[in-house]
Amino acid sequence: MTLVDRHLEFVHALREAGLPVSLAEGLDAVRAIETLGLADRETVRAGYAATVVKREVHRPAFDKIFDLFFPALVGVSGIVHDETVGSEAGLRPFRRGLSELTDLGDGPQDLADFREQLADALALGDQEMLAALAREGVSRFGRIQGRGPGEQRWSSYNVGNRVSPETLVEQILNGLLGETDRDPAEEREVRRAIQRQVDSFNRLVESDVSRRAAEVRGPEYVARHTVRPSIDQLDFTAARKADLAEMRRAIHPLARKLATRMAKQQRARGRGRLDFRKTVRASMQTGGVPVVTHHLPKRPARTDLVVLCDVSGSVANFANFTLMLVFALREQFDRVRAFTFVDEIHEVTDQFRVGADPAETLAELAASAKYASLWGRTSYGRAFTRFHDQFPDALTPRTNLLILGDARSNYTDLALPVFKQMEYEARNVWWLNPEHRRHWGTGDSAAHEYGEIAPMVECRNLTQLTDFVGDLA
Amino acid sequence: MWFESPDAAASRLAEAGYLADQATATSAYLAGALEKPVLVEGPAGVGKTELAKAIARSTEAELVRLQCYEGLDEARALYEWDYRKQLLYIQAREQTPEWDEGIFGEQFLLTRPLLTAIRREQPTVLLIDEIDKTDVEVEGLLLEVLSDFQVSIPELGTITATRRPLVVLTSNAARELSEAVRRRCLYLHIDYPDAEREKQIVLGQVEGIEDTLAGEIVDTVHRIRSLELKKQPSIAESIDWARTLVALQIGTLDPAVVDSTLGVVLKHVSDQDKAVRELGLRKK
């Protein structure tokens, strides 16, 4: 494969992963690589990154694909080491010749040795050594017996399972701090530092596994199957724990961006009456002729917002994020009230304090979910009825009502008349559904029934959520 | 020629007092070699604007700065006709008929930063600061400048750069920039540096600071950054903190000192509470 082909395939894989790489940007990249040369891998990476990655959210996907197409090393056992790494610490395997590496043992003694080395590396936080150990770990413990003859496969799950670096944390803590009288603050700090190292080891193992897979099956194949969508495109319902933390961090900048946009639109929207003084003052520049008229800004008409959230297991994340975003933007609305429900209704407006910590607020919300649940099975009909009975004053002709949920009501009574009445009382009603449109109305989903009364909007990821909230205010 | 290679860029920026990592140095080099603008994004206070200044210092180029704000228009960014002068000229012309040239000549043109940068003959670094603060229309205005380094003035024709300036755009991401701008630029995301580099930056920026104190400050700031905060402390805040401690003549960072000077680093109550709790600063 020539270099040009590799470049083209690389750009193609980036596009498949959702990065908008234009033809011009591809050409820029080629020109950049031409002037930079291919001597240093990290320079090549920086060159590509500067020319084709134009958003920071795309960077993780880019790095992953770059590692697949421009691997740091090629080969199966692949422990190509310079002598400086681990030469002092008595790390035997690094200094073995390549011939020996082909028959790396994976017996219990090897495992114990390996874990000991890994513990040292984690305690020291030595990135190079961790990378080397990750590669060795995959060679030794990550092998899946090939399906066909001569076919090798590796799995990060196997490595994690046998090496289980998480269990080393306690051991390292003992080694670093002694077994007794520790300072709890220090212990927490060290524990967090070690956990970070463990996470980075796991990442290294994962990337080595995909590098090997790329060699066997081709980088395009692996890129298509392992690169996750960027955080703003990721479905709420498919988010993992780490993704959720990242999304939580994204909420605040997002709200800030949205608030700027809304404030600008507010200002641009129509002009008020003539600002006489300003117009006259400006006319001085043109010899007393009022060429440009200036106007006072219009008084903004703000709306009340009432949010009803389904917080049952499957959609809780989505509801929480939307609530966080809405409350981060509360100055854009006149008044915001929020209610959560499973089969009982519970007001959570007070959980949102100005300037509170987002992580804490989310934890409090999760804790308060128990009040929203009586039997623990979602029932939209019951929740709407209870809402209508208990808070008859919540809906006014100025209120925008927002309902968050997947409309999966466990085949219970939908209380459509009550919902119709709510729709009648409020100024506008929207229903945000975190499920893909094609799943609406399947199984116990009453999306179509409710959707006939109030417009239902698909809202699966942060991008769609931002767009919606932006249009709302 | 701006820089000879990425390494040369790094070392010359370092001489100018800016410690660049590899991505930054490579982008600075590419900006010169490919003659393309660089769009720099990143959290507030990581040295985005400083990068442009450092490039200007290290290449002995003049820095032309366009500070963007809401409501910035053509007249402030590109050029403006000096109509007062034009008006006077028309009035004076009635008495002196030998003045017969039109009123759209060079002498009535007020050049604003973008046009100034393009018309300069000497090496120029054009810094377009906080481009996200402008309205979308200004972005359209910039496109011609960014891609072809030329400005069209209806009365005079198109003015093309005699010597292309090195353009640096910075953004705090208060607004999504359009694809058109992104496509024309190289992209650089500057993030918080690692502990070693940040320590070097603090040592370089703060006079009379002890090596150990700088190390302690940077360690603490990194610990604070690992918490989930509303506003993470930036490099600018580490430097402020270091200056504060030097001014207070405090030589070492113990929990009591951190607690009493935390306001320099963290500027939200909830962030401060969290840091105090997580770092175990106050003993009950």
Side-chain angles (χ1 to χ4, degrees):
Chain A
M1 194 193 287
T2 66
L3 200 56
V4 178
D5 289 337
R6 174 129 304 214
H7 163 80
L8 290 176
E9 271 174 28
F10 177 54
V11 169
H12 191 72
L14 288 176
R15 284 190 194 131
E16 269 195 10
L19 276 73
V21 184
S22 69
L23 184 62
E25 284 166 335
L27 289 173
D28 284 345
V30 173
R31 227 168 284 140
I33 301 306
E34 229 170 38
T35 61
L36 289 170
L38 290 161
D40 180 23
R41 180 166 175 264
E42 287 310 309
T43 311
V44 173
R45 186 200 293 269
Y48 264 117
T51 45
V52 301
V53 187
K54 299 292 166 77
R55 268 160 227 272
E56 186 56 20
V57 285
H58 292 146
R59 187 64 203 241
F62 167 82
D63 278 335
K64 196 151 190 183
I65 299 175
F66 184 86
D67 286 340
L68 292 177
F69 278 83
F70 301 93
L73 73 170
V74 181
V76 171
S77 45
I79 304 178
V80 189
H81 269 282
D82 51 351
E83 282 297 302
T84 53
V85 177
S87 51
E88 316 89 37
L91 301 165
R92 271 187 322 116
F94 295 152
R95 274 185 267 150
R96 286 188 199 158
L98 266 171
S99 57
E100 281 173 75
L101 284 166
T102 47
D103 46 60
L104 283 169
D106 61 348
Q109 187 53 44
D110 296 305
L111 183 62
D113 288 348
F114 183 80
R115 275 170 61 91
E116 207 169 295
Q117 286 176 17
L118 182 60
D120 286 345
L122 289 172
L124 294 170
D126 182 341
Q127 287 302 318
E128 268 179 76
M129 201 154 109
L130 278 182
L133 282 169
R135 275 180 294 220
E136 191 191 331
V138 175
S139 299
R140 275 177 192 264
F141 310 113
R143 195 173 309 158
I144 307 174
Q145 290 314 324
R147 282 170 213 170
E151 189 180 353
Q152 288 279 22
R153 288 176 189 226
W154 290 268
S155 134
S156 54
Y157 175 77
N158 278 8
V159 181
N161 211 10
R162 290 217 46 201
V163 181
S164 60
E166 278 76 14
T167 55
L168 288 170
V169 173
E170 210 52 47
Q171 183 191 331
I172 299 168
L173 266 177
N174 287 341
L176 286 176
L177 299 174
E179 307 217 353
T180 45
D181 42 81
R182 303 169 179 167
D183 178 10
E186 192 186 356
E187 183 185 332
R188 200 166 39 201
E189 192 57 44
V190 176
R191 188 185 290 273
R192 198 179 298 148
I194 298 171
Q195 192 56 48
R196 263 202 301 276
Q197 298 299 333
V198 171
D199 292 344
S200 108
F201 175 74
N202 286 338
R203 265 199 308 278
L204 286 166
V205 167
E206 220 164 274
S207 82
D208 195 56
V209 167
S210 40
R211 176 187 66 79
R212 286 162 198 249
E215 267 171 43
V216 178
R217 324 193 68 165
E220 313 83 24
Y221 179 86
V222 180
R224 206 173 308 139
H225 287 87
T226 58
V227 176
R228 289 173 69 78
S230 59
I231 202 76
D232 58 338
Q233 296 288 344
L234 190 66
D235 281 12
F236 290 117
T237 43
R240 298 182 296 195
K241 215 171 138 204
D243 300 327
L244 287 177
E246 207 173 315
M247 282 187 187
R248 203 163 56 213
R249 256 167 272 149
I251 284 275
H252 226 77
L254 213 63
R256 195 170 44 104
K257 219 180 268 187
L258 212 51
T260 328
R261 201 172 87 195
M262 288 199 275
K264 242 178 225 174
Q265 281 169 352
Q266 194 75 253
R267 236 163 294 155
R269 205 179 296 154
R271 47 191 199 178
R273 60 192 178 83
L274 187 78
D275 187 340
F276 191 73
R277 289 167 63 101
K278 211 170 175 184
T279 307
V280 169
R281 221 177 296 139
S283 75
M284 291 300 142
Q285 287 201 327
T286 43
V289 184
V291 173
V292 184
T293 56
H294 291 263
H295 296 261
L296 293 169
K298 224 177 191 174
R299 206 165 154 270
R302 293 190 177 166
T303 47
D304 282 8
L305 192 64
V306 170
V307 192
L308 286 182
C309 312
D310 179 356
V311 286
S312 60
S314 54
V315 289
N317 286 331
F318 161 67
N320 288 346
F321 277 115
T322 314
L323 275 182
M324 303 277 312
L325 190 63
V326 164
F327 275 90
L329 289 165
R330 82 172 105 200
E331 60 265 40
Q332 302 294 326
F333 302 99
D334 208 31
R335 196 161 47 132
V336 184
R337 283 181 84 175
F339 301 87
T340 55
F341 65 86
V342 175
D343 52 3
E344 181 64 76
I345 197 94
H346 174 65
E347 177 156 13
V348 292
T349 314
D350 298 339
Q351 313 270 346
F352 295 92
R353 285 177 304 273
V354 179
D357 184 61
E360 267 171 37
T361 314
L362 276 186
E364 279 174 30
L365 268 184
S368 76
K370 62 174 182 287
Y371 300 112
S373 156
L374 197 63
W375 294 296
R377 283 167 65 80
T378 320
S379 165
Y380 280 74
R382 195 183 132 76
F384 290 152
T385 317
R386 299 285 296 167
F387 171 72
H388 204 247
D389 290 347
Q390 283 189 26
F391 305 98
D393 56 339
L395 299 178
T396 69
R398 289 189 57 215
T399 316
N400 283 331
L401 177 62
L402 198 61
I403 294 156
L404 317 175
D406 54 4
R408 292 197 178 272
S409 193
N410 292 314
Y411 303 107
T412 52
D413 177 29
L414 299 177
L416 290 172
V418 180
F419 188 57
K420 223 172 239 164
Q421 179 64 25
M422 283 161 60
E423 198 269 338
Y424 173 73
E425 284 171 16
R427 187 169 130 203
N428 284 312
V429 182
W430 288 280
W431 191 306
L432 299 190
N433 195 328
E435 284 190 332
H436 196 289
R437 204 173 274 273
R438 66 168 169 259
H439 299 309
W440 294 6
T442 60
D444 60 344
S445 164
H448 293 314
E449 285 84 343
Y450 285 124
E452 275 174 22
I453 300 172
M456 196 171 275
V457 184
E458 179 190 278
C459 184
R460 286 185 296 141
N461 51 41
L462 280 178
T463 312
Q464 284 180 336
L465 180 61
T466 341
D467 287 347
F468 177 80
V469 177
D471 293 339
L472 185 65
Chain B
M1 201 59 202
W2 292 87
F3 298 108
E4 294 76 39
S5 68
D7 294 337
S11 62
R12 277 169 65 188
L13 285 174
E15 279 168 33
Y18 189 93
L19 294 174
D21 60 9
Q22 193 178 21
T24 311
T26 310
S27 296
Y29 163 72
L30 282 178
L34 302 183
E35 298 191 319
K36 282 182 91 67
V38 202
L39 171 64
V40 190
E41 278 190 338
V46 287
K48 298 188 289 293
T49 308
E50 197 51 41
L51 173 64
K53 292 184 186 163
I55 291 177
R57 275 202 301 277
S58 65
T59 54
E60 289 168 5
E62 181 101 357
L63 184 76
V64 176
R65 180 171 179 164
L66 173 67
Q67 177 70 44
C68 296
Y69 51 88
E70 215 186 302
L72 177 83
D73 57 359
E74 212 177 15
R76 307 258 157 217
L78 266 181
Y79 68 92
E80 194 175 7
W81 291 109
D82 192 347
Y83 55 83
R84 291 184 199 82
K85 211 167 159 189
Q86 285 172 334
L87 223 66
L88 281 173
Y89 184 78
I90 293 170
Q91 285 164 5
R93 198 160 56 177
E94 284 160 16
Q95 276 109 53
T96 45
E98 66 269 23
W99 291 6
D100 57 351
E101 27 176 332
I103 53 164
F104 291 109
E106 282 283 335
Q107 69 268 41
F108 300 111
L109 192 68
L110 294 174
T111 60
R112 302 293 186 208
L114 289 183
L115 188 58
T116 312
I118 281 191
R119 295 219 296 185
R120 276 177 55 85
E121 312 256 308
Q122 294 82 34
T124 313
V125 174
L126 171 62
L127 166 64
I128 303 176
D129 213 3
E130 306 197 29
I131 183 173
D132 52 326
K133 295 265 160 53
T134 60
D135 312 307
V136 185
E137 298 83 61
V138 179
E139 266 178 39
L141 192 86
L142 283 174
L143 293 182
E144 193 186 10
V145 179
L146 294 185
S147 57
D148 300 326
F149 293 94
Q150 63 180 38
V151 174
S152 298
I153 303 176
E155 294 86 357
L156 288 182
T158 305
I159 297 179
T160 313
T162 39
R163 183 176 189 145
R164 291 194 167 192
L166 192 151
V167 187
V168 180
L169 300 95
T170 74
S171 159
N172 279 326
R175 172 170 74 74
E176 268 304 305
L177 298 177
S178 71
E179 283 305 322
V181 167
R182 286 182 191 274
R183 195 165 56 71
R184 281 170 175 80
C185 298
L186 301 172
Y187 180 83
L188 171 66
H189 183 92
I190 303 187
D191 216 331
Y192 301 118
D194 58 40
E196 191 44 45
R197 213 160 65 80
E198 186 162 3
K199 187 176 156 190
Q200 296 305 322
I201 294 172
V202 170
L203 285 174
Q205 296 284 324
V206 183
E207 264 176 54
I209 189 164
E210 302 264 333
D211 193 81
T212 49
L213 180 60
E216 282 174 2
I217 289 172
V218 169
D219 275 350
T220 316
V221 168
H222 271 250
R223 274 163 65 191
I224 294 176
R225 265 184 214 145
S226 72
L227 307 173
E228 204 170 285
L229 298 176
K230 268 191 178 157
K231 168 73 183 78
Q232 302 208 311
S234 64
I235 305 176
E237 267 127 9
S238 316
I239 293 172
D240 280 350
W241 207 13
R243 292 219 171 102
T244 311
L245 295 180
V246 169
L248 293 172
Q249 299 185 333
I250 294 172
T252 178
L253 207 56
D254 57 43
V257 174
V258 175
D259 191 8
S260 59
T261 56
L262 204 57
V264 182
V265 201
L266 292 175
K267 295 163 187 178
H268 284 280
V269 183
S270 67
D271 285 358
Q272 287 197 357
D273 287 347
K274 193 167 198 173
V276 166
R277 203 169 54 239
E278 297 283 321
L279 304 181
L281 293 180
R282 255 168 240 161
K283 296 269 157 17
K284 280 131 303 208

